[in-house]
Amino acid sequence: MCSTDTATPGSRTDAPEISDSAIAMLDERGTVLGWTQAAERLVGHPAREVVGRSAAVVLPSFDETPTTSAFVARCRARQGWSGTIAVRHRDGRSLTVSLRLSMLWGQDGTVRWLVSVTDVGRLSQEVTNGSVRESLLTRAPIGIVVRDPQLRCSWVNDTMASHDGVSRDQRFGRRAGAAPPGAGAEAFEAVMRQTLRTGTASVHEFRRRLPANPRREHVLAASFFCLQDAEGRALGVCAISVDVTESRRAQERLAILSEASTRLGGTLDVMRTSQELADLAVPLFADYAVVDLEHSVPAGEGPPAHIGPVGERLPVFRRAGAASIRQGVPESPWERGEPVPAPPAGPFTDILRTGRSHLEPVLDTAPGTWVDQDPVRARTIHENGMHSLMLVPIRARQVLLGVALFVRTEDPAPFQEDDLLLAEELVSRAALSLDNARLYAREHATALALQCNLLPQRLRGGTAVEAASRYLPADPDIGVGGDWFDVIPLSGARVALVVGDVVGHGINATAAMGRLRTAVHMLAEQELPPDQLLARLDDTIERLSEGVPDTPGQTTAVMGATCLYAVYDPVTRKCTMAGAGHPPPAIVDPHGRVTFPDLPTGTPLGVGMGTAFEAVELELPEGSLLALYTDGLIETRDHDIDAGMHRLGEALAEPGRSLEDLCTRATDTVPGLAPSDDVTLLLVRPLSLSPAQVASWTLPSDRTAARSARRLAAGRLAEWGLDGLADSTELIVSELVTNAVRHSTGPIGLRLIRHQFLTCEVFDTNDCFPHRHRADTTDENGRGLFLVAQLSRRWDSRPVSGGKVVWSEQDLAPSPAHGPAPVRPLRARESGARVPVSL
């Protein structure tokens, strides 16, 4: 039976082990019938000195046998002979060669012998591919066909039938174009004619599918030699073919793995690595490939899936990579990034349970199979002609990262075990990269979540300031650092503006920053002046540092830091600020002139110097701009701070622009340079309250003060259209003024501020602050501040020059659901609870 498919010649192969062999043809008695140019080069004898004579001329082993017929008999019984022997050179030298003697059959049953000889010394020098040469010359079955000058088959060995599927009887007397038929035969004939014309040997590689296994493609290397007679005329052409399918597949697998080493894992992006794996598989050994990752892997969140018993709830996968030989990957029902449900039965669940790969050389789509139970996948398989598949788990340390699917549609050959080994090797290499990327994604997500929770998500400037910010970490891949900023609402419509910089970068600096930011918030609630707040913060850092164990190799959790703290009052337009080793703010006036105030630098926090901090008070004009920043914005490796401050000033010199636009302009780095430090910028446009929004009075410290305060407050609320707050405000004012009269001397100040809230402030000269304690049922006093707390959204006190201020805030338009609780008289039995009291 003939081969029905086409043999397609390839380019000249790099297999000199055949083309450089010395070839000779002998009859049954050992007489040389044909000689080649390669044989002349090896042993030095031209054809006229050898053809027609016994092979013993060059093969001493023939003389050592009892008779030539005995040697031939042994070879015939074995269908040939191979081994290492010595041959005699024309100049008398003895050469050690690898010799192979193959038996050929003629049409009438006669026998000829083909001798192929290769110099062992040369083989030992060519160490590359040595195992392939040894296989080709000594062990691998070789097919031999000898054709006459008209290219008709005269002699053939038995192995040739396994190479092309053509039997011996079908071959004799036919030209190459007749057996086997196909487009490649004409090309082979052209090669053989050239060999007859030039006498030069050549090697070509071609691929062929045999009738016995039409799905499997074989790769054969064919070498062509011209056999010459004693006069040097061409007797015919000898074609020797070797099935190099396995060696070529091994080379292709090595090439794929080598390419995988360079293409896989170049980034820490799980989606990109998954796509690289799919792109690598197609079309090298698959027509269609997808990579589905367990849903927690791309996000770096949640516990990953583990290999083991499968419960009722199967893991959710997400398509991360897809590739096909067809445009647009029509075989995939799901797009990249979409969730892919796992089928409830079949090889998918087997992989989840066992962690082992699944090979299905011939895909069974009969009713009752796993394919039939999955309508979406069944339709996809039938519509795209999928006939063979491999399913390989992507796993690392008993964690199932995902599943890789490889399918053949156009290639008729089914997947085999060696294909599965290749796929598993590729997937294992990708799994290392994916696992590293997963761990990075998890750490990155954790760091970003930490940073997100530690930095303000919305700047609350109220009616005091408009604010915008930028934060650029030095390492954008990590995305975290030690800089922080804040706009903290204070009482009396004021705000605190904060920018700080912890020494160092990364997660440790972020953790330290979080502790410092929390401490600043706690101290800001005490309404401390900026210089006192920095002093208290410095003490806090030292206490925190004392609690850190001195562990070798462990980074200290709390480190030094710089900080700038400012308090802005929209009533007076005064801004009081103090710094601790921090660069001064930039102030831009309404005309675009930029100044950096002469602010005392102060020592950084946490260095243990114990020096006092100094505060400076500035008045910010209408339409001005205030910029607080960290040194990463103005300091680079190649430019000093002065140049950076000049560059910042130029970026901010247009105060009429939006704050967001100014932030972008100011944080643009020097061209070609990445920031070497974290960069933080807080831009603030100060606002002011009109005099009509503020009402102030000075009251005498006597019994009439409370009554006057209620009357004045009610009148001003009526002017502001806040009559609905009159009752609660009168109660608050009455209680606070009464406490001031009782516990202080000198005049009493009362101020109402209408901004986003209604603030009531009472000033007195006593520096003792109100505090809360239990009020017993028999106490006559002690419930005034309890009423204030019930009527206010919040209340507290703060120190001021010459005394203190007790303040209360109310919502301007309280909703029924969130407004203050209605005030009702307290019965004696209800007052035993712990309640706040006045001084």
Side-chain angles (χ1 to χ4, degrees):
M1 181 174 63
C2 295
S3 172
T4 57
D5 51 0
T6 302
T8 305
S11 59
R12 290 178 59 85
T13 185
D14 54 349
E17 64 278 357
I18 300 179
S19 60
D20 292 343
S21 298
I23 301 297
M25 189 172 179
L26 314 178
D27 64 10
E28 280 194 287
R29 297 184 300 276
T31 302
V32 179
L33 300 179
W35 199 245
T36 61
Q37 293 179 358
E40 180 180 349
R41 288 194 299 271
L42 178 64
V43 298
H45 289 282
R48 65 178 179 275
E49 296 178 0
V50 179
V51 175
R53 301 177 62 183
S54 171
V57 174
V58 293
L59 296 174
S61 298
F62 271 55
D63 296 334
E64 297 173 3
T65 56
T67 60
T68 300
S69 60
F71 178 77
V72 170
R74 288 203 303 270
C75 293
R76 189 161 188 167
R78 300 176 183 175
Q79 299 253 328
W81 181 87
S82 64
T84 302
I85 65 172
V87 297
R88 186 182 298 115
H89 195 272
R90 189 169 184 265
D91 61 10
R93 288 182 292 121
S94 178
L95 301 175
T96 302
V97 298
S98 176
L99 179 142
R100 183 164 188 164
L101 196 63
S102 303
M103 188 170 67
L104 308 179
W105 295 96
Q107 189 169 8
D108 54 0
T110 56
V111 172
R112 294 289 183 267
W113 299 96
L114 190 81
V115 181
S116 60
V117 181
T118 304
D119 186 358
V120 171
R122 182 180 177 197
L123 284 178
S124 62
Q125 293 176 3
E126 299 177 356
V127 294
T128 59
N129 244 357
S131 60
V132 176
R133 291 188 172 89
E134 182 183 2
S135 174
L136 292 174
L137 293 173
T138 61
R139 291 198 292 266
I142 60 174
I144 304 174
V145 176
V146 177
R147 298 183 182 277
D148 61 19
Q150 289 73 43
L151 303 183
R152 293 171 299 196
C153 178
S154 303
W155 306 92
V156 65
N157 72 341
D158 293 334
T159 304
M160 195 63 203
S162 65
H163 285 188
D164 57 14
V166 181
S167 66
R168 186 196 309 170
D169 295 335
Q170 289 177 310
R171 195 186 305 271
F172 286 131
R174 297 186 179 183
R175 293 172 47 218
E186 290 76 8
F188 285 141
E189 287 194 356
V191 172
M192 288 187 284
R193 289 193 188 95
Q194 182 180 7
T195 301
L196 289 171
R197 184 172 62 255
T198 63
T200 303
S202 63
V203 180
H204 292 263
E205 189 176 285
F206 61 98
R207 298 174 182 267
R208 167 175 288 160
R209 300 184 188 275
L210 302 181
N213 189 4
R215 292 175 176 249
R216 180 176 173 84
E217 185 179 61
H218 288 259
V219 182
L220 294 97
S223 185
F224 300 92
F225 305 89
C226 179
L227 294 172
Q228 299 174 340
D229 61 11
E231 302 301 326
R233 293 188 298 267
L235 289 175
V237 61
C238 174
I240 300 178
S241 61
V242 182
D243 191 334
V244 295
T245 302
E246 295 304 321
S247 64
R248 290 297 179 265
R249 288 173 66 86
Q251 292 177 8
E252 291 172 356
R253 289 195 291 270
L254 289 174
I256 293 174
L257 295 177
S258 176
E259 186 175 358
S261 299
T262 59
R263 289 178 56 180
L264 289 178
T267 67
L268 289 174
D269 186 335
V270 293
M271 298 294 287
R272 182 172 176 180
T273 301
S274 300
Q275 186 60 44
E276 288 172 350
L277 174 58
D279 291 337
L280 185 63
V282 177
L284 290 178
F285 67 95
D287 298 330
Y288 166 61
V290 294
V291 177
D292 295 333
L293 297 180
E294 201 268 335
H295 76 98
S296 68
V297 175
E301 299 177 354
H306 290 270
I307 297 171
V310 179
E312 295 182 359
R313 295 188 60 184
L314 296 175
V316 177
F317 292 89
R318 193 170 298 278
R319 184 129 300 172
S324 171
I325 59 174
R326 302 174 183 175
Q327 188 70 25
V329 196
E331 301 94 333
S332 177
W334 299 279
E335 299 291 334
R336 287 188 68 205
E338 291 184 349
V340 179
F348 292 91
T349 53
D350 292 341
I351 283 180
L352 297 178
R353 186 180 66 257
T354 65
R356 291 193 295 268
S357 302
H358 174 79
L359 169 64
E360 200 159 344
V362 180
L363 189 56
D364 187 2
T365 60
T369 61
W370 70 270
V371 175
D372 183 60
Q373 298 174 15
D374 190 342
V376 175
R377 289 180 171 86
R379 183 173 62 254
T380 301
I381 289 171
H382 289 297
E383 290 177 352
N384 295 279
M386 301 179 182
H387 64 84
S388 184
L389 67 79
M390 297 183 296
L391 203 60
V392 181
I394 307 173
R395 56 188 181 183
R397 297 189 295 271
Q398 294 302 311
V399 172
L400 184 68
L401 304 179
V403 178
L405 173 68
F406 306 98
V407 177
R408 281 184 176 167
T409 56
E410 300 294 331
D411 187 349
F415 286 122
Q416 301 178 17
E417 288 293 339
D418 55 350
D419 295 310
L420 182 60
L421 292 175
L422 173 61
E424 289 178 334
E425 179 64 25
L426 281 179
V427 169
S428 66
R429 297 190 180 198
L432 293 176
S433 300
L434 287 171
D435 192 42
N436 289 335
R438 176 184 70 91
L439 295 176
Y440 169 79
R442 186 175 65 181
E443 296 297 329
H444 190 233
T446 301
L448 288 181
L450 176 63
Q451 188 82 41
C452 182
N453 286 301
L454 291 179
L455 290 179
Q457 301 306 299
R458 183 171 59 89
L459 298 176
R460 299 182 299 158
T463 56
V465 296
E466 294 178 7
S469 63
R470 286 291 186 278
Y471 171 71
L472 304 176
D475 188 345
D477 292 331
I478 298 178
V480 297
D483 287 7
W484 88 93
F485 58 92
D486 253 319
V487 177
I488 306 173
L490 301 177
S491 64
R494 300 168 307 136
V495 291
L497 309 174
V498 191
V499 167
D501 182 3
V502 173
V503 177
H505 310 291
I507 196 70
N508 289 328
T510 302
M513 175 270 287
R515 302 179 75 177
L516 293 186
R517 179 171 180 256
T518 301
V520 170
H521 270 265
M522 295 292 293
L523 295 173
E525 288 185 359
Q526 299 179 26
E527 306 269 5
L528 297 175
D531 52 343
Q532 296 182 29
L533 182 140
L534 291 180
R536 295 281 295 276
L537 184 62
D538 189 32
D539 294 338
T540 301
I541 292 178
E542 291 188 14
R543 288 197 301 272
L544 291 174
S545 299
E546 292 173 358
V548 177
D550 187 13
T551 304
Q554 181 177 352
T555 304
T556 303
V558 179
M559 298 170 284
T562 66
C563 182
L564 180 66
Y565 185 86
V567 174
Y568 173 69
D569 188 343
V571 176
T572 63
R573 301 198 65 87
K574 298 289 182 65
C575 183
T576 306
M577 61 185 69
H582 205 83
I587 300 177
V588 187
D589 69 13
H591 305 290
R593 290 188 294 267
V594 181
T595 59
F596 294 88
D598 188 13
L599 181 69
T601 304
T603 59
L605 303 171
V607 298
M609 298 293 291
T611 57
F613 299 96
E614 298 182 48
V616 172
E617 185 177 81
L618 303 172
E619 184 172 348
L620 301 178
E622 187 82 28
S624 60
L625 191 70
L626 182 66
L628 286 72
Y629 52 90
T630 56
D631 57 2
L633 182 63
I634 58 174
E635 186 177 14
T636 64
R637 295 186 180 95
D638 301 326
H639 298 80
D640 58 20
I641 292 180
D642 291 338
M645 295 174 72
H646 178 72
R647 187 174 64 251
L648 174 62
E650 288 183 336
L652 300 177
E654 301 181 41
R657 289 176 174 265
S658 69
L659 294 182
E660 291 294 334
D661 188 16
L662 289 173
C663 281
T664 301
R665 285 165 54 90
T667 53
D668 283 343
T669 57
V670 179
L673 293 178
S676 57
D677 194 4
D678 301 329
V679 173
T680 296
L681 173 65
L682 176 62
L683 279 185
V684 171
R685 180 167 286 135
L687 305 176
S688 63
L689 296 179
S690 69
Q693 294 177 270
V694 182
S696 300
W697 302 278
T698 301
L699 304 174
S701 182
D702 57 27
R703 294 184 177 182
T704 65
R707 182 171 65 253
S708 299
R710 290 195 297 270
R711 176 178 53 79
L712 293 171
R716 184 49 59 100
L717 291 182
E719 294 178 15
W720 286 343
L722 300 177
D723 301 272
L725 296 177
D727 291 341
S728 58
T729 305
E730 287 184 33
L731 279 173
I732 293 172
V733 167
S734 180
E735 292 296 335
L736 296 183
V737 171
T738 299
N739 281 345
V741 170
R742 181 178 300 164
H743 300 289
S744 68
T745 60
I748 297 171
L750 172 63
R751 184 168 73 163
L752 298 181
I753 306 174
R754 179 175 62 85
H755 50 114
Q756 61 186 133
F757 309 109
L758 175 64
T759 298
C760 173
E761 297 180 337
V762 174
F763 165 82
D764 63 56
T765 57
N766 191 300
D767 58 1
C768 184
F769 296 93
H771 60 279
R772 301 177 182 183
H773 60 81
R774 178 187 296 272
D776 294 331
T777 57
T778 58
D779 290 342
E780 294 294 331
N781 301 313
R783 296 181 180 85
L785 290 181
F786 174 70
L787 292 176
V788 173
Q790 290 291 95
L791 295 171
S792 306
R793 62 184 302 273
R794 64 174 188 151
W795 75 276
D796 210 329
S797 60
R798 68 175 184 268
V800 295
S801 177
K804 69 175 183 296
V805 168
V806 182
W807 55 268
S808 166
E809 285 182 355
Q810 300 177 79
D811 291 317
L812 294 180
S815 63
H818 301 90
V823 179
R824 60 185 175 87
L826 287 175
R827 291 189 291 270
R829 69 172 62 96
E830 294 176 326
S831 60
R834 187 183 300 270
V835 296
V837 297
S838 60
L839 290 172

